[in-house]
Amino acid sequence: MKQGRFLAAAMTMLLLAGCAENPDSDIVIHKDMEKVIDEAQHTDESKADVEQLRQETEYNAEFENKSLRVKVQADADIITPEAERLSVIHVEKAQFSQEFVDQVRAALIGDQPIWDGKLLMLRTKADVLEEIGDHRAQMQNPPAEIAPENIELYKEELQQGIDERLQPEYNAAPEKLVFSDYPSDGLLHPLKQKTEEENIAAGGIASPDAYYTRKYEMFSDAELLSCVTDGSDGMYSILFVVNSPDTGSTLSFERTPLGLTSGANVGLDFVTGKKSQLFGLPENTLAYYCGNKMNYEQLPDNTTNLSQADAQTKAEDLLFALGLNDFAFYEGGLYTETVYFAPSFEKLNPVSQDDPRYYRTSYILRYFRHIDGVPLLRGGGKNGESDANYRRKAWDDEMIEIRVDDNGIIGFAYQSPLKMLETTVSGAAMKPFSEIKDTFEKMAPMMTAHEISEFSVEVTVTKIELSYIRIAEKDSFDTGYAVPVWGFCGTRTIVTDSGDRMEISGSMQNLLMSINAIDGSVIVPGAGY
């Protein structure tokens, strides 16, 4: 099967179109923030303000690019904010202060004792010794599928696993897991310091699977707090906070009845969107990876009899208590998601020893910062180059996601906080929607085509919204600009050469393309501009 790598091909096509003065090339490649600011400051008959843009209420179109095998159909409402003006605002990456972390802990955990989050990955000596025994048994009796010429290599790799991973873990492991042996002071600490403490406990070099050692591989020069409660009130809680100069700041809280889970909230996985019915799960289950298990059970005491309005009230009471008054509800609803438990808590909780998988249903509510009533939505983001250890700098979009069931707040996640700096241009001049529409119709086939040339794509546009998106500043990874952007939202359906259909939607927002409302350039996800 021939495979055409679309992005490279599309960029090549644009480069061949001409130099920086060529509008086709400017749409994606030649971005100049100084030029954007200059255009935003100059109002003439070719520009439009927000009041003029509000006259546009719907967009209907149907077009096709046969060479790229893309069909686009649009029957979309145009949503323009009820604001006097949209501006260009200078912003920078922020970190969570200890004061804010203390506020979150007080609001969500109260005065319950907290313990070191390393309990999430900690095993007893007996647990580790059992795995060492399994390795040695396999060395004595290699599986039949191992080819004779590979048996010695197989044994060497097993022994290496014992020496480098399991023996250090055994050295540091407790005889039994007792929460009170692992107190937490609730403070942010340099991750390097926590890693060094693990090395000392292991008698030299910690296992690469040790909790803080693994975090150090991900976050390097960050400061971090990870703490848990002991479930004495019938619910376990985890609070995780990281301030990383490379990957930004994230804060997540989760509360469950059967021990600490590794669910969608932990790790800040915000991919929701496509709902599916898998393995007998409820119809509104989100399409996370569910594995091959069939024995899903609903988490005990997980009910959602409250209304969405009541759930939003609980969420907004929390935001008010935390001083997050610039955030407003944008999207969300009642969803089901699968969850699973951290290894050590399977041992602590007899209910989970049989290893069933669980699901929970809750209201998942997304809140975005609003500037003068206009949401600052996702769609910008920025990824840097990977270093020698495969770590990559990243600046994700700011967002708060809150989960609520009848027990109250069971999940709170805040990603990539921003600090508002100065307003660079107040009342930015923008392109009329007719020009934005032309750009979309020109670029949509290129931006949505599938990389496998035999596959076709059907794009349906259902909503177009004028909002803010953060874009990158030249030569800086920590500062950027909030600029007005047109977001084209809908669905993208892939049709394979055998006729199979698969609908692709990356978030509840279903963003297909973002176009800078000031200069008409296309915002490239991950590039940050």
Side-chain angles (χ1 to χ4, degrees):
M1 180 179 292
K2 298 179 180 178
Q3 295 191 12
R5 297 299 169 191
F6 159 70
L7 182 57
M11 297 298 279
T12 301
M13 290 168 62
L14 289 168
L15 285 167
L16 292 173
C19 61
E21 285 72 30
N22 186 312
D24 290 349
S25 182
D26 282 342
I27 289 174
V28 173
I29 298 171
H30 297 287
K31 308 284 182 69
D32 186 340
M33 196 61 216
E34 293 182 3
K35 180 181 177 183
V36 171
I37 293 172
D38 183 65
E39 286 198 33
Q41 292 172 326
H42 290 86
T43 301
D44 55 39
E45 292 183 357
S46 68
K47 299 294 183 67
D49 57 25
V50 67
E51 184 175 351
Q52 292 169 314
L53 292 174
R54 268 198 291 270
Q55 306 306 311
E56 304 284 350
T57 59
E58 61 182 27
Y59 169 57
N60 297 285
E62 188 171 342
F63 53 93
E64 179 178 4
N65 185 309
K66 292 184 178 180
S67 63
L68 292 174
R69 302 173 66 90
V70 175
K71 293 181 180 179
V72 180
Q73 182 172 354
D75 183 9
D77 293 329
I78 299 175
I79 300 173
T80 311
E82 294 294 330
E84 292 183 4
R85 66 182 67 86
L86 276 79
S87 303
V88 177
I89 302 154
H90 201 198
V91 302
E92 71 177 1
K93 188 188 299 183
Q95 294 189 336
F96 294 112
S97 67
Q98 184 64 53
E99 180 183 7
F100 181 76
V101 172
D102 291 343
Q103 286 180 297
V104 173
R105 178 185 164 191
L108 296 173
I109 299 178
D111 57 2
Q112 292 184 74
I114 55 173
W115 315 101
D116 195 325
K118 68 190 296 182
L119 282 159
L120 285 167
M121 298 300 297
L122 204 58
R123 299 193 293 176
T124 65
K125 286 187 182 298
D127 296 331
V128 183
L129 194 59
E130 181 180 349
E131 188 173 351
I132 291 174
D134 290 341
H135 273 50
R136 288 174 174 160
Q138 292 177 56
M139 291 168 68
Q140 289 292 326
N141 298 288
E145 59 267 22
I146 302 296
E149 64 271 19
N150 294 328
I151 287 178
E152 286 305 314
L153 177 60
Y154 176 75
K155 291 180 179 180
E156 289 175 9
E157 290 177 346
L158 287 173
Q159 186 62 51
Q160 184 179 10
I162 293 174
D163 296 341
E164 297 181 3
R165 183 174 65 85
L166 295 175
Q167 190 61 52
E169 183 181 2
Y170 179 84
N171 294 342
E175 295 291 343
K176 62 179 182 178
L177 296 179
V178 180
F179 278 88
S180 58
D181 290 343
Y182 303 93
S184 170
D185 59 12
L187 301 178
L188 291 159
H189 288 282
L191 187 50
K192 185 177 181 180
Q193 171 192 326
K194 305 297 287 186
T195 305
E196 289 171 350
E197 292 172 1
E198 284 186 333
N199 289 336
I200 293 171
I205 299 177
S207 166
D209 289 338
Y211 183 73
Y212 289 109
T213 299
R214 292 183 67 175
K215 297 299 182 190
Y216 189 77
E217 289 180 359
M218 293 187 289
F219 300 117
S220 186
D221 298 327
E223 60 175 3
L224 179 144
L225 166 65
S226 179
C227 60
V228 300
T229 65
D230 61 7
S232 56
D233 67 342
M235 298 285 278
Y236 293 85
S237 297
I238 178 172
L239 177 61
F240 178 85
V241 188
V242 61
N243 289 323
S244 169
D246 291 335
T247 60
S249 300
T250 58
L251 181 152
S252 65
F253 164 84
E254 188 172 20
R255 185 170 166 83
T256 68
L258 290 183
L260 279 302
T261 75
S262 297
N265 202 11
V266 178
L268 299 171
D269 181 1
F270 288 108
V271 179
T272 55
K274 176 67 176 173
K275 294 176 285 185
S276 63
Q277 191 168 1
L278 299 171
F279 306 112
L281 291 163
E283 187 175 354
N284 67 338
T285 300
L286 298 175
Y288 292 111
Y289 173 69
C290 296
N292 296 318
K293 285 195 168 289
M294 304 296 287
N295 58 328
Y296 282 96
E297 300 175 10
Q298 186 166 13
L299 278 178
D301 201 29
N302 170 227
T303 60
T304 48
N305 295 315
L306 78 168
S307 66
Q308 181 166 332
D310 289 340
Q312 287 182 218
T313 296
K314 291 179 182 294
E316 286 152 23
D317 286 347
L318 172 63
L319 294 177
F320 180 79
L322 298 178
L324 299 171
N325 302 318
D326 292 335
F327 287 79
F329 175 76
Y330 182 76
E331 61 187 358
L334 188 64
Y335 292 96
T336 295
E337 57 193 337
T338 58
V339 294
Y340 62 96
F341 291 93
S344 60
F345 285 89
E346 292 181 6
K347 300 291 183 182
L348 286 172
N349 296 277
V351 174
S352 61
Q353 283 185 1
D354 293 333
D355 196 27
R357 287 188 179 265
Y358 293 91
Y359 66 86
R360 68 179 175 197
T361 298
S362 65
Y363 288 99
I364 304 178
L365 310 172
R366 284 184 171 173
Y367 289 80
F368 290 94
R369 183 184 297 273
H370 280 57
I371 303 170
D372 297 328
V374 182
L376 175 60
L377 298 179
R378 64 188 312 187
K382 184 175 183 180
N383 296 323
E385 297 294 327
S386 298
D387 64 14
N389 295 313
Y390 303 101
R391 289 188 295 255
R392 183 174 65 176
K393 295 185 71 171
W395 188 4
D396 292 325
D397 299 302
E398 185 181 43
M399 184 195 324
I400 291 175
E401 188 167 87
I402 302 176
R403 286 165 169 77
V404 185
D405 70 3
D406 290 339
N407 293 297
I409 306 292
I410 60 169
F412 173 77
Y414 186 177
Q415 171 180 282
S416 299
L418 290 177
K419 180 180 180 181
M420 299 290 108
L421 301 176
E422 74 279 359
T423 298
T424 305
V425 180
S426 179
M430 293 172 282
K431 287 184 174 292
F433 183 76
S434 59
E435 293 188 32
I436 301 298
K437 171 184 70 68
D438 290 345
T439 298
F440 174 76
E441 292 175 2
K442 180 184 298 181
M443 296 303 300
M446 293 185 184
M447 301 299 290
T448 60
H450 200 276
E451 62 180 13
I452 299 176
S453 58
E454 288 82 359
F455 289 7
S456 61
V457 177
E458 298 174 1
V459 175
T460 302
V461 183
T462 56
K463 182 179 75 170
I464 303 169
E465 182 171 12
L466 180 62
S467 66
Y468 284 110
I469 280 181
R470 189 205 79 235
I471 63 174
E473 187 171 7
K474 185 179 180 181
D475 300 326
S476 173
F477 209 89
D478 300 319
T479 58
Y481 290 90
V483 300
V485 166
W486 287 102
F488 288 74
C489 305
T491 60
R492 177 172 171 258
T493 301
I494 308 300
V495 184
T496 69
D497 48 359
S498 61
D500 295 330
R501 301 174 65 86
M502 179 174 59
E503 184 179 300
I504 304 297
S505 53
S507 74
M508 283 188 280
Q509 188 181 336
N510 292 340
L511 184 63
L512 297 166
M513 186 187 302
S514 297
I515 300 176
N516 190 320
I518 295 172
D519 70 352
S521 61
V522 176
I523 309 297
V524 180
Y529 56 83

